[in-house]
Coordinates of all heavy atoms in Angstrom, one line a residue:
M275 N 32.7 -61.9 14.1 CA 32.1 -61.1 15.2 C 30.8 -60.4 14.7 O 30.8 -59.8 13.7 CB 33.1 -60.0 15.6 CG 32.7 -59.1 16.6 SD 34.0 -58.0 17.1 CE 33.2 -56.9 18.1
Q276 N 29.8 -60.5 15.5 CA 28.5 -59.9 15.2 C 28.2 -58.7 16.1 O 28.5 -58.9 17.3 CB 27.4 -60.9 15.2 CG 27.4 -61.9 14.1 CD 26.2 -62.8 14.1 OE1 25.6 -62.9 15.2 NE2 25.9 -63.3 13.0
I277 N 27.7 -57.7 15.6 CA 27.3 -56.6 16.4 C 25.7 -56.6 16.5 O 25.1 -56.5 15.4 CB 27.8 -55.2 15.9 CG1 29.3 -55.3 15.9 CG2 27.3 -54.1 16.7 CD1 29.9 -54.1 15.2
P278 N 25.2 -56.7 17.6 CA 23.7 -56.7 17.7 C 23.1 -55.3 17.3 O 23.6 -54.3 17.8 CB 23.4 -57.1 19.1 CG 24.6 -56.8 19.9 CD 25.8 -56.9 18.9
V279 N 22.1 -55.4 16.5 CA 21.4 -54.1 16.1 C 19.9 -54.3 16.4 O 19.3 -55.3 16.0 CB 21.6 -53.9 14.6 CG1 20.8 -52.6 14.1 CG2 23.0 -53.8 14.2
T280 N 19.4 -53.3 17.1 CA 18.0 -53.4 17.6 C 17.1 -53.1 16.4 O 17.5 -52.5 15.4 CB 17.7 -52.4 18.7 OG1 17.8 -51.1 18.2 CG2 18.6 -52.6 19.9
K281 N 15.8 -53.5 16.5 CA 14.8 -53.3 15.5 C 14.6 -51.7 15.3 O 14.5 -51.3 14.2 CB 13.5 -53.9 16.0 CG 12.4 -53.8 14.9 CD 11.1 -54.4 15.4 CE 10.0 -54.3 14.4 NZ 8.8 -55.0 14.8
E282 N 14.7 -51.0 16.3 CA 14.5 -49.5 16.2 C 15.7 -48.9 15.5 O 15.5 -48.0 14.6 CB 14.5 -48.9 17.6 CG 13.1 -49.1 18.4 CD 13.1 -50.5 19.0 OE1 14.1 -51.1 19.2 OE2 11.9 -51.0 19.2
E283 N 16.9 -49.4 15.7 CA 18.1 -48.9 14.9 C 18.0 -49.2 13.4 O 18.3 -48.4 12.6 CB 19.4 -49.5 15.5 CG 19.7 -49.0 16.9 CD 20.9 -49.7 17.5 OE1 21.0 -50.9 17.3 OE2 21.7 -49.0 18.2
R284 N 17.5 -50.5 13.1 CA 17.3 -50.9 11.7 C 16.2 -50.0 11.1 O 16.4 -49.5 9.9 CB 16.9 -52.3 11.6 CG 18.0 -53.3 11.9 CD 17.7 -54.7 11.5 NE 16.4 -55.1 11.9 CZ 16.1 -56.0 12.9 NH1 17.1 -56.5 13.6 NH2 14.9 -56.3 13.2
K285 N 15.2 -49.8 11.8 CA 14.1 -48.9 11.3 C 14.5 -47.5 11.0 O 14.2 -46.9 9.9 CB 12.9 -48.9 12.2 CG 11.7 -48.2 11.7 CD 10.5 -48.3 12.7 CE 9.3 -47.5 12.1 NZ 8.2 -47.6 13.1
A286 N 15.3 -46.9 11.9 CA 15.8 -45.6 11.8 C 16.7 -45.5 10.6 O 16.6 -44.6 9.7 CB 16.5 -45.1 13.0
E287 N 17.6 -46.5 10.4 CA 18.5 -46.5 9.2 C 17.7 -46.7 7.9 O 18.0 -46.0 7.0 CB 19.5 -47.7 9.4 CG 20.5 -47.8 8.4 CD 21.5 -46.6 8.5 OE1 21.7 -46.1 9.6 OE2 22.1 -46.2 7.4
F288 N 16.7 -47.5 7.9 CA 15.9 -47.7 6.7 C 15.2 -46.4 6.4 O 15.1 -46.0 5.2 CB 14.9 -48.8 6.9 CG 13.9 -48.9 5.8 CD1 14.3 -49.6 4.6 CD2 12.6 -48.4 5.9 CE1 13.4 -49.6 3.6 CE2 11.7 -48.4 4.8 CZ 12.1 -49.1 3.7
M289 N 14.6 -45.7 7.4 CA 13.8 -44.5 7.1 C 14.8 -43.4 6.6 O 14.4 -42.6 5.6 CB 13.1 -44.0 8.4 CG 12.0 -44.9 8.8 SD 10.7 -45.0 7.5 CE 10.1 -43.4 7.4
E290 N 16.0 -43.3 7.1 CA 17.0 -42.3 6.6 C 17.3 -42.6 5.1 O 17.3 -41.7 4.3 CB 18.2 -42.4 7.4 CG 19.2 -41.3 7.1 CD 20.4 -41.4 8.0 OE1 20.3 -41.6 9.2 OE2 21.6 -41.2 7.5
F291 N 17.5 -43.9 4.8 CA 17.8 -44.3 3.4 C 16.6 -44.0 2.5 O 16.8 -43.5 1.4 CB 18.2 -45.8 3.4 CG 18.5 -46.3 2.1 CD1 19.7 -45.9 1.4 CD2 17.7 -47.2 1.4 CE1 20.0 -46.3 0.2 CE2 18.1 -47.7 0.1 CZ 19.2 -47.3 -0.5
A292 N 15.4 -44.3 3.0 CA 14.2 -44.1 2.2 C 14.0 -42.6 1.9 O 13.6 -42.2 0.8 CB 13.0 -44.6 2.9
K293 N 14.3 -41.7 2.8 CA 14.2 -40.3 2.6 C 15.2 -39.8 1.6 O 15.0 -39.0 0.8 CB 14.4 -39.5 4.0 CG 13.2 -39.6 4.9 CD 13.5 -38.9 6.2 CE 12.3 -39.1 7.1 NZ 12.6 -38.4 8.4
E294 N 16.5 -40.4 1.7 CA 17.5 -40.0 0.7 C 17.1 -40.4 -0.7 O 17.4 -39.6 -1.7 CB 18.8 -40.7 1.0 CG 19.5 -40.2 2.2 CD 20.8 -41.0 2.6 OE1 21.2 -41.8 1.7 OE2 21.3 -40.8 3.7
L295 N 16.3 -41.4 -0.9 CA 15.8 -41.8 -2.2 C 14.5 -41.2 -2.6 O 13.9 -41.5 -3.6 CB 15.6 -43.4 -2.2 CG 16.9 -44.2 -2.1 CD1 16.6 -45.6 -2.1 CD2 17.9 -43.8 -3.3
H296 N 14.0 -40.3 -1.7 CA 12.7 -39.6 -1.9 C 11.5 -40.6 -2.0 O 10.6 -40.4 -2.7 CB 12.8 -38.7 -3.1 CG 13.8 -37.7 -3.0 ND1 13.8 -36.6 -2.2 CD2 15.0 -37.6 -3.7 CE1 14.9 -35.9 -2.3 NE2 15.7 -36.5 -3.2
L297 N 11.6 -41.6 -1.2 CA 10.5 -42.6 -1.1 C 9.5 -42.2 -0.1 O 8.4 -42.8 0.0 CB 11.1 -44.0 -0.9 CG 12.0 -44.6 -1.9 CD1 12.6 -45.9 -1.5 CD2 11.3 -44.7 -3.3
V298 N 9.8 -41.3 0.8 CA 9.0 -40.9 1.9 C 8.5 -39.5 1.5 O 9.3 -38.6 1.2 CB 9.7 -40.8 3.2 CG1 8.8 -40.3 4.3 CG2 10.2 -42.2 3.6
P299 N 7.2 -39.2 1.4 CA 6.7 -37.9 1.0 C 7.2 -36.8 2.0 O 7.1 -37.0 3.2 CB 5.2 -38.0 1.0 CG 4.9 -39.3 1.7 CD 6.1 -40.1 1.7
E300 N 7.6 -35.7 1.5 CA 8.0 -34.6 2.3 C 6.7 -33.9 2.8 O 5.6 -34.1 2.3 CB 8.9 -33.6 1.5 CG 10.2 -34.3 1.1 CD 11.1 -33.4 0.4 OE1 11.0 -32.2 0.5 OE2 12.0 -33.9 -0.3
D301 N 6.9 -33.0 3.7 CA 5.7 -32.2 4.2 C 5.1 -31.5 3.1 O 5.7 -30.8 2.3 CB 6.2 -31.2 5.3 CG 6.6 -31.9 6.6 OD1 6.2 -33.0 6.8 OD2 7.4 -31.3 7.3
S302 N 3.8 -31.7 2.9 CA 3.1 -31.2 1.8 C 2.6 -29.8 2.2 O 2.1 -29.5 3.3 CB 1.9 -32.0 1.4 OG 1.1 -31.5 0.4
L303 N 2.6 -28.9 1.2 CA 2.1 -27.5 1.4 C 0.6 -27.4 0.9 O 0.0 -26.4 1.1 CB 2.9 -26.5 0.6 CG 4.4 -26.4 1.0 CD1 5.1 -25.4 0.1 CD2 4.6 -26.0 2.4
M304 N 0.2 -28.5 0.3 CA -1.2 -28.6 -0.3 C -2.2 -28.2 0.7 O -2.3 -28.8 1.8 CB -1.5 -30.0 -0.8 CG -2.8 -30.1 -1.5 SD -2.9 -29.1 -3.0 CE -2.1 -30.2 -4.1
G305 N -3.0 -27.1 0.4 CA -4.1 -26.7 1.3 C -3.7 -26.0 2.5 O -4.5 -25.5 3.3
K306 N -2.4 -25.7 2.7 CA -1.9 -25.1 3.9 C -2.0 -23.5 3.7 O -1.7 -23.0 2.7 CB -0.5 -25.5 4.2 CG 0.0 -24.9 5.5 CD 1.4 -25.4 5.9 CE 1.9 -24.7 7.2 NZ 3.3 -25.0 7.4
T307 N -2.5 -22.9 4.7 CA -2.6 -21.4 4.7 C -1.7 -20.8 5.8 O -1.5 -21.5 6.9 CB -4.0 -20.8 4.9 OG1 -4.5 -21.3 6.2 CG2 -4.9 -21.3 3.8
I308 N -1.1 -19.7 5.5 CA -0.2 -19.0 6.5 C -0.5 -17.5 6.5 O -1.2 -17.0 5.6 CB 1.3 -19.2 6.1 CG1 1.6 -18.7 4.7 CG2 1.7 -20.6 6.3 CD1 3.1 -18.8 4.3
G309 N -0.1 -16.8 7.5 CA -0.3 -15.4 7.6 C 0.9 -14.7 7.0 O 1.9 -15.3 6.5
I310 N 0.8 -13.4 6.9 CA 1.8 -12.6 6.2 C 3.1 -12.6 7.0 O 4.2 -12.5 6.4 CB 1.3 -11.1 6.0 CG1 2.2 -10.4 5.0 CG2 1.1 -10.4 7.3 CD1 1.7 -9.1 4.5
D311 N 3.1 -12.7 8.3 CA 4.3 -12.7 9.1 C 5.1 -14.0 8.8 O 6.3 -13.9 8.5 CB 4.0 -12.6 10.6 CG 3.6 -11.3 11.0 OD1 4.0 -10.3 10.5 OD2 2.7 -11.2 11.9
E312 N 4.4 -15.1 8.7 CA 5.1 -16.4 8.4 C 5.6 -16.4 6.9 O 6.7 -16.8 6.6 CB 4.2 -17.6 8.6 CG 4.9 -18.9 8.5 CD 4.0 -20.1 8.8 OE1 2.9 -19.9 9.3 OE2 4.5 -21.2 8.5
F313 N 4.8 -15.8 6.0 CA 5.2 -15.7 4.6 C 6.5 -14.9 4.5 O 7.4 -15.3 3.8 CB 4.1 -15.1 3.8 CG 4.4 -14.9 2.4 CD1 4.4 -15.9 1.5 CD2 4.8 -13.7 1.9 CE1 4.7 -15.8 0.1 CE2 5.2 -13.5 0.6 CZ 5.1 -14.5 -0.3
A314 N 6.5 -13.7 5.2 CA 7.7 -12.9 5.1 C 8.9 -13.6 5.6 O 10.0 -13.5 5.0 CB 7.4 -11.6 5.9
K315 N 8.7 -14.3 6.7 CA 9.9 -15.0 7.3 C 10.4 -16.1 6.4 O 11.6 -16.3 6.3 CB 9.4 -15.6 8.7 CG 10.5 -16.2 9.5 CD 10.0 -16.7 10.8 CE 11.1 -17.4 11.6 NZ 10.7 -17.9 12.9
K316 N 9.5 -16.9 5.8 CA 9.9 -18.1 5.1 C 10.3 -17.7 3.6 O 11.2 -18.4 3.1 CB 8.7 -19.1 5.0 CG 8.4 -19.8 6.2 CD 7.2 -20.7 6.1 CE 7.6 -22.0 5.5 NZ 6.5 -23.0 5.6
Y317 N 9.7 -16.7 3.0 CA 10.0 -16.5 1.6 C 10.6 -15.2 1.3 O 11.1 -15.0 0.2 CB 8.7 -16.6 0.8 CG 8.1 -18.0 0.9 CD1 7.0 -18.2 1.8 CD2 8.5 -19.1 0.2 CE1 6.5 -19.5 1.9 CE2 8.0 -20.3 0.3 CZ 7.0 -20.5 1.2 OH 6.5 -21.8 1.3
C318 N 10.7 -14.2 2.2 CA 11.2 -12.9 1.9 C 12.2 -12.4 2.9 O 12.5 -11.2 3.0 CB 10.0 -11.9 1.9 SG 8.8 -12.3 0.7
K319 N 12.8 -13.3 3.7 CA 13.8 -12.9 4.7 C 14.9 -12.1 4.1 O 15.3 -12.5 3.0 CB 14.3 -14.1 5.4 CG 14.9 -13.9 6.7 CD 15.2 -15.1 7.5 CE 15.7 -14.8 8.9 NZ 15.7 -16.0 9.7
P320 N 15.3 -11.0 4.6 CA 15.1 -10.4 5.9 C 14.0 -9.4 5.9 O 13.9 -8.6 6.9 CB 16.4 -9.8 6.2 CG 16.9 -9.2 4.9 CD 16.4 -10.3 3.9
H321 N 13.2 -9.3 4.9 CA 12.1 -8.3 4.8 C 10.9 -8.7 5.7 O 10.7 -9.8 5.9 CB 11.7 -8.1 3.3 CG 12.8 -7.8 2.4 ND1 13.4 -6.5 2.5 CD2 13.4 -8.5 1.5 CE1 14.4 -6.5 1.6 NE2 14.4 -7.7 0.9
G322 N 10.2 -7.7 6.1 CA 9.1 -7.9 7.0 C 7.7 -7.7 6.2 O 7.7 -7.6 5.0
K323 N 6.7 -7.8 7.0 CA 5.3 -7.8 6.4 C 5.0 -6.5 5.6 O 4.3 -6.5 4.6 CB 4.3 -8.1 7.4 CG 4.0 -7.0 8.5 CD 2.9 -7.5 9.4 CE 2.6 -6.4 10.5 NZ 1.6 -6.9 11.4
D324 N 5.5 -5.3 6.1 CA 5.2 -4.1 5.4 C 5.9 -4.1 4.0 O 5.3 -3.6 3.0 CB 5.7 -2.9 6.2 CG 4.9 -2.6 7.5 OD1 3.7 -3.0 7.4 OD2 5.4 -2.1 8.4
W325 N 7.1 -4.7 3.9 CA 7.8 -4.8 2.7 C 7.0 -5.7 1.7 O 6.9 -5.5 0.6 CB 9.2 -5.3 2.9 CG 10.1 -5.3 1.7 CD1 10.9 -4.3 1.2 CD2 10.2 -6.4 0.7 NE1 11.4 -4.7 0.0 CE2 11.0 -6.0 -0.3 CE3 9.6 -7.6 0.6 CZ2 11.4 -6.8 -1.4 CZ3 9.9 -8.4 -0.5 CH2 10.8 -8.0 -1.4
V326 N 6.6 -6.8 2.3 CA 5.8 -7.8 1.5 C 4.5 -7.2 0.9 O 4.2 -7.3 -0.2 CB 5.4 -9.1 2.3 CG1 4.4 -9.9 1.6 CG2 6.7 -9.8 2.7
K327 N 3.8 -6.4 1.8 CA 2.6 -5.7 1.3 C 2.9 -4.8 0.1 O 2.3 -4.9 -0.9 CB 2.0 -4.9 2.4 CG 1.3 -5.7 3.5 CD 0.5 -4.8 4.4 CE 0.7 -5.2 5.8 NZ 0.1 -4.2 6.7
A328 N 3.9 -3.9 0.3 CA 4.2 -2.9 -0.7 C 4.9 -3.5 -2.0 O 4.5 -3.1 -3.1 CB 5.2 -1.9 -0.1
N329 N 5.8 -4.5 -1.8 CA 6.6 -4.9 -3.0 C 6.1 -6.2 -3.6 O 6.6 -6.5 -4.7 CB 8.0 -5.0 -2.6 CG 8.6 -3.7 -2.2 OD1 8.9 -2.9 -3.1 ND2 8.8 -3.4 -0.9
I330 N 5.2 -6.9 -3.0 CA 4.6 -8.1 -3.6 C 3.1 -8.0 -3.7 O 2.6 -8.1 -4.8 CB 5.1 -9.4 -2.8 CG1 6.6 -9.5 -2.9 CG2 4.4 -10.6 -3.4 CD1 7.2 -10.6 -2.1
L331 N 2.4 -7.9 -2.6 CA 1.0 -8.0 -2.7 C 0.3 -6.9 -3.4 O -0.5 -7.1 -4.3 CB 0.4 -8.1 -1.2 CG 0.8 -9.3 -0.4 CD1 0.2 -9.3 0.9 CD2 0.5 -10.6 -1.1
Y332 N 0.7 -5.6 -3.1 CA 0.0 -4.5 -3.8 C 0.6 -4.3 -5.2 O -0.2 -3.8 -6.1 CB 0.3 -3.2 -3.0 CG -0.3 -3.2 -1.6 CD1 0.2 -2.5 -0.5 CD2 -1.4 -4.1 -1.2 CE1 -0.4 -2.5 0.7 CE2 -1.9 -4.1 0.0 CZ -1.4 -3.3 1.0 OH -1.9 -3.4 2.3
K333 N 1.8 -4.6 -5.4 CA 2.4 -4.5 -6.7 C 1.9 -5.5 -7.7 O 1.6 -5.2 -8.9 CB 3.9 -4.5 -6.6 CG 4.6 -4.2 -8.0 CD 6.1 -4.1 -7.8 CE 6.8 -3.9 -9.1 NZ 8.2 -3.8 -9.0
F334 N 1.9 -6.8 -7.3 CA 1.6 -7.9 -8.3 C 0.1 -8.4 -8.1 O -0.4 -9.1 -9.0 CB 2.6 -9.0 -8.1 CG 4.0 -8.7 -8.4 CD1 4.9 -8.4 -7.4 CD2 4.4 -8.7 -9.7 CE1 6.2 -8.1 -7.8 CE2 5.7 -8.4 -10.1 CZ 6.6 -8.1 -9.1
E335 N -0.5 -8.1 -7.0 CA -1.9 -8.6 -6.7 C -2.0 -10.1 -7.0 O -2.9 -10.5 -7.8 CB -2.9 -7.8 -7.5 CG -2.9 -6.3 -7.0 CD -4.0 -5.5 -7.7 OE1 -4.8 -6.1 -8.4 OE2 -4.0 -4.3 -7.5
P336 N -1.2 -10.9 -6.4 CA -1.3 -12.4 -6.7 C -2.6 -13.0 -6.3 O -3.2 -12.6 -5.3 CB -0.1 -12.9 -5.9 CG 0.1 -12.0 -4.8 CD -0.3 -10.6 -5.3
D337 N -3.0 -14.1 -7.0 CA -4.2 -14.8 -6.6 C -4.1 -15.7 -5.5 O -5.1 -16.3 -5.0 CB -4.8 -15.5 -7.9 CG -3.9 -16.6 -8.4 OD1 -2.7 -16.7 -7.9 OD2 -4.3 -17.3 -9.3
W338 N -2.9 -15.9 -4.9 CA -2.7 -16.8 -3.8 C -3.0 -16.2 -2.5 O -2.9 -16.8 -1.4 CB -1.4 -17.5 -3.8 CG -0.2 -16.6 -4.2 CD1 0.4 -16.5 -5.5 CD2 0.5 -15.7 -3.4 NE1 1.4 -15.6 -5.4 CE2 1.5 -15.1 -4.2 CE3 0.4 -15.4 -2.1 CZ2 2.4 -14.2 -3.7 CZ3 1.3 -14.4 -1.5 CH2 2.3 -13.8 -2.4
C339 N -3.2 -14.9 -2.5 CA -3.6 -14.1 -1.2 C -5.1 -13.9 -1.3 O -5.6 -13.2 -2.2 CB -2.8 -12.8 -1.1 SG -3.1 -12.0 0.4
Q340 N -5.8 -14.4 -0.3 CA -7.3 -14.3 -0.4 C -7.8 -12.8 -0.5 O -8.7 -12.6 -1.3 CB -7.9 -14.9 0.9 CG -9.3 -15.1 0.8 CD -9.9 -15.9 1.9 OE1 -9.2 -16.1 2.9 NE2 -11.1 -16.4 1.8
D341 N -7.2 -11.9 0.2 CA -7.6 -10.5 0.2 C -6.5 -9.7 0.6 O -6.0 -9.7 1.7 CB -8.8 -10.3 1.2 CG -9.4 -8.9 1.2 OD1 -8.9 -8.1 0.3 OD2 -10.3 -8.6 2.0
I342 N -6.0 -8.8 -0.4 CA -4.8 -8.0 -0.1 C -5.1 -6.8 0.7 O -4.2 -6.1 1.1 CB -4.0 -7.7 -1.4 CG1 -4.8 -6.8 -2.4 CG2 -3.5 -8.9 -2.1 CD1 -4.0 -6.3 -3.5
H343 N -6.4 -6.5 0.9 CA -6.8 -5.4 1.7 C -7.9 -5.9 2.7 O -9.1 -5.7 2.6 CB -7.5 -4.3 0.9 CG -6.6 -3.7 -0.2 ND1 -5.5 -2.9 0.1 CD2 -6.6 -3.9 -1.5 CE1 -4.9 -2.6 -1.0 NE2 -5.5 -3.2 -2.0
P344 N -7.4 -6.7 3.7 CA -8.3 -7.4 4.7 C -9.1 -6.4 5.6 O -10.1 -6.8 6.2 CB -7.5 -8.4 5.4 CG -6.1 -7.8 5.4 CD -6.0 -7.0 4.1
G345 N -8.6 -5.2 5.8 CA -9.3 -4.3 6.7 C -8.8 -4.5 8.2 O -8.2 -5.5 8.5
P346 N -9.2 -3.6 9.0 CA -8.8 -3.7 10.4 C -9.3 -4.9 11.1 O -10.5 -5.3 10.9 CB -9.4 -2.4 11.1 CG -10.2 -1.7 10.0 CD -10.1 -2.5 8.7
G347 N -8.5 -5.5 11.9 CA -8.9 -6.7 12.7 C -8.9 -8.0 12.0 O -9.2 -9.0 12.5
R348 N -8.6 -8.0 10.7 CA -8.6 -9.2 9.9 C -7.2 -9.4 9.3 O -6.5 -8.5 9.0 CB -9.6 -9.1 8.7 CG -11.0 -9.0 9.2 CD -12.1 -9.0 8.1 NE -11.8 -10.1 7.1 CZ -12.0 -9.9 5.8 NH1 -12.4 -8.7 5.4 NH2 -11.8 -10.9 5.0
G349 N -6.8 -10.6 9.3 CA -5.4 -10.9 8.8 C -5.4 -11.4 7.3 O -6.4 -11.6 6.7
F350 N -4.2 -11.5 6.8 CA -4.0 -12.0 5.4 C -4.0 -13.5 5.5 O -3.5 -14.1 6.4 CB -2.6 -11.5 4.9 CG -2.5 -10.1 4.6 CD1 -2.3 -9.1 5.6 CD2 -2.7 -9.6 3.3 CE1 -2.2 -7.8 5.4 CE2 -2.6 -8.3 3.0 CZ -2.3 -7.4 4.0
T351 N -4.7 -14.1 4.5 CA -4.7 -15.5 4.3 C -4.0 -15.8 3.0 O -4.4 -15.4 1.9 CB -6.2 -16.1 4.2 OG1 -6.8 -15.7 5.4 CG2 -6.2 -17.6 4.1
I352 N -2.9 -16.5 3.2 CA -2.0 -16.8 2.0 C -2.0 -18.3 1.8 O -1.7 -19.1 2.8 CB -0.6 -16.3 2.2 CG1 -0.6 -14.7 2.3 CG2 0.4 -16.8 1.2 CD1 0.7 -14.1 2.7
F353 N -2.3 -18.8 0.6 CA -2.3 -20.2 0.3 C -0.8 -20.5 0.0 O -0.3 -20.1 -1.1 CB -3.3 -20.5 -0.8 CG -4.7 -20.2 -0.4 CD1 -5.3 -19.0 -0.7 CD2 -5.4 -21.2 0.3 CE1 -6.6 -18.7 -0.3 CE2 -6.7 -20.9 0.6 CZ -7.3 -19.7 0.3
E354 N -0.2 -21.3 0.8 CA 1.2 -21.5 0.8 C 1.8 -22.2 -0.5 O 2.8 -21.8 -1.0 CB 1.8 -22.2 2.0 CG 3.3 -22.1 2.1 CD 3.8 -22.6 3.4 OE1 3.1 -23.2 4.2 OE2 5.0 -22.4 3.6
K355 N 1.1 -23.2 -0.9 CA 1.6 -23.9 -2.1 C 1.7 -23.1 -3.3 O 2.7 -23.0 -4.0 CB 0.9 -25.2 -2.3 CG 1.5 -26.0 -3.5 CD 0.8 -27.4 -3.6 CE 1.6 -28.1 -4.7 NZ 1.1 -29.5 -4.9
P356 N 0.6 -22.4 -3.7 CA 0.7 -21.6 -4.9 C 1.6 -20.4 -4.7 O 2.2 -19.9 -5.6 CB -0.7 -21.2 -5.2 CG -1.5 -21.5 -4.0 CD -0.8 -22.6 -3.3
A357 N 1.7 -19.9 -3.4 CA 2.5 -18.7 -3.1 C 4.0 -19.1 -3.3 O 4.8 -18.4 -3.9 CB 2.3 -18.2 -1.7
A358 N 4.4 -20.3 -2.8 CA 5.7 -20.8 -3.0 C 6.1 -21.0 -4.4 O 7.2 -20.5 -4.9 CB 5.9 -22.1 -2.2
K359 N 5.2 -21.5 -5.2 CA 5.4 -21.7 -6.7 C 5.6 -20.4 -7.3 O 6.5 -20.1 -8.2 CB 4.3 -22.5 -7.3 CG 4.5 -22.8 -8.7 CD 3.3 -23.6 -9.3 CE 3.6 -23.8 -10.8 NZ 2.4 -24.2 -11.5
W360 N 4.7 -19.4 -7.0 CA 4.7 -18.1 -7.6 C 6.0 -17.4 -7.3 O 6.6 -16.8 -8.2 CB 3.5 -17.3 -7.1 CG 3.4 -15.9 -7.8 CD1 2.6 -15.7 -8.9 CD2 4.0 -14.7 -7.5 NE1 2.7 -14.4 -9.3 CE2 3.6 -13.7 -8.4 CE3 4.9 -14.3 -6.4 CZ2 4.0 -12.4 -8.3 CZ3 5.3 -13.0 -6.4 CH2 4.9 -12.1 -7.3
M361 N 6.4 -17.5 -6.0 CA 7.7 -16.8 -5.6 C 8.9 -17.4 -6.4 O 9.8 -16.6 -6.8 CB 7.9 -17.0 -4.1 CG 7.0 -16.2 -3.2 SD 7.2 -14.4 -3.4 CE 8.8 -14.2 -2.7
E362 N 8.9 -18.6 -6.6 CA 10.0 -19.3 -7.4 C 10.0 -18.8 -8.8 O 11.0 -18.4 -9.4 CB 9.9 -20.8 -7.3 CG 11.1 -21.5 -7.9 CD 12.3 -21.3 -7.1 OE1 12.3 -21.1 -5.8 OE2 13.4 -21.2 -7.7
E363 N 8.8 -18.7 -9.4 CA 8.7 -18.3 -10.8 C 8.9 -16.8 -11.0 O 9.3 -16.4 -12.1 CB 7.3 -18.6 -11.4 CG 7.1 -20.1 -11.5 CD 5.7 -20.5 -11.8 OE1 4.8 -19.6 -11.8 OE2 5.4 -21.7 -12.0
H364 N 8.6 -15.9 -10.0 CA 8.7 -14.5 -10.2 C 9.8 -13.8 -9.4 O 9.9 -12.6 -9.3 CB 7.4 -13.8 -9.8 CG 6.2 -14.2 -10.7 ND1 5.5 -15.4 -10.5 CD2 5.8 -13.7 -11.8 CE1 4.6 -15.5 -11.5 NE2 4.7 -14.5 -12.3
R365 N 10.7 -14.6 -8.9 CA 11.8 -14.1 -8.0 C 12.6 -13.0 -8.7 O 12.9 -12.0 -8.0 CB 12.7 -15.3 -7.6 CG 13.7 -14.9 -6.6 CD 14.3 -16.2 -5.9 NE 13.4 -17.0 -5.2 CZ 12.9 -16.8 -4.0 NH1 13.3 -15.8 -3.3 NH2 12.1 -17.6 -3.4
S366 N 12.8 -13.1 -10.0 CA 13.6 -12.1 -10.7 C 12.9 -10.8 -10.9 O 13.5 -9.8 -11.2 CB 14.2 -12.7 -12.0 OG 13.1 -13.0 -12.8
E367 N 11.5 -10.8 -10.8 CA 10.7 -9.6 -11.1 C 10.6 -8.8 -9.8 O 10.1 -7.6 -9.9 CB 9.3 -10.0 -11.6 CG 9.4 -10.8 -12.9 CD 8.0 -11.4 -13.2 OE1 7.0 -10.7 -12.9 OE2 8.0 -12.5 -13.7
I368 N 10.9 -9.3 -8.7 CA 10.8 -8.6 -7.4 C 12.0 -7.8 -7.2 O 13.1 -8.2 -7.3 CB 10.6 -9.6 -6.3 CG1 9.3 -10.4 -6.5 CG2 10.5 -8.9 -4.9 CD1 9.1 -11.6 -5.6
N369 N 11.8 -6.5 -6.7 CA 12.9 -5.6 -6.4 C 13.3 -5.9 -4.9 O 12.7 -5.3 -4.0 CB 12.5 -4.2 -6.6 CG 13.6 -3.2 -6.3 OD1 14.7 -3.6 -5.9 ND2 13.4 -1.9 -6.4
W370 N 14.2 -6.8 -4.8 CA 14.6 -7.2 -3.4 C 15.4 -6.1 -2.7 O 15.6 -6.1 -1.5 CB 15.5 -8.4 -3.5 CG 14.7 -9.6 -4.0 CD1 14.7 -10.1 -5.2 CD2 13.8 -10.4 -3.2 NE1 13.8 -11.1 -5.3 CE2 13.3 -11.4 -4.1 CE3 13.4 -10.4 -1.9 CZ2 12.3 -12.3 -3.7 CZ3 12.5 -11.4 -1.5 CH2 12.0 -12.3 -2.3
N371 N 15.8 -5.0 -3.4 CA 16.5 -3.9 -2.7 C 15.6 -2.8 -2.4 O 16.1 -1.8 -1.8 CB 17.6 -3.4 -3.7 CG 18.7 -4.5 -3.9 OD1 19.1 -5.2 -3.0 ND2 19.1 -4.6 -5.2
A372 N 14.4 -2.9 -2.7 CA 13.4 -1.8 -2.3 C 13.3 -1.6 -0.8 O 13.4 -2.6 -0.1 CB 12.0 -2.1 -2.9
K373 N 13.2 -0.4 -0.4 CA 13.1 -0.1 1.0 C 11.6 0.1 1.4 O 10.8 0.5 0.7 CB 13.8 1.2 1.3 CG 15.3 1.1 1.0 CD 16.0 0.4 2.1 CE 17.5 0.4 1.8 NZ 18.3 -0.3 2.7

C-alpha cells in the first residue's frame, strides 16, 4: 500500500529536518538595530526601559548603544547582535532585583 505524498509535503518535511540539523541559517541579528523598548522586552523581561537605563546603560555604558543620553525627541539605537552577546556574558553582573 502506498500513500501519496505531495511535493509540498515532502518539501516541508525536508525543511523541518534541515532546521533540526542546523543546515538552515537562523534569523541573523547581524546589523540589526532595536530601540530600548524592544531591548527591554527581549532581554530584560519583566523590567522596562527605565530599569534598563538605570541598571544597564548608565551603570555599564556599553558600546553597543549608540548614545546613552540621546536627548529629547531622539530614541536609543541599540545594535542587537553585540547587545545580545554582552547580555549573555555579563548576566551575572547585573542586579536583576534592583528597583
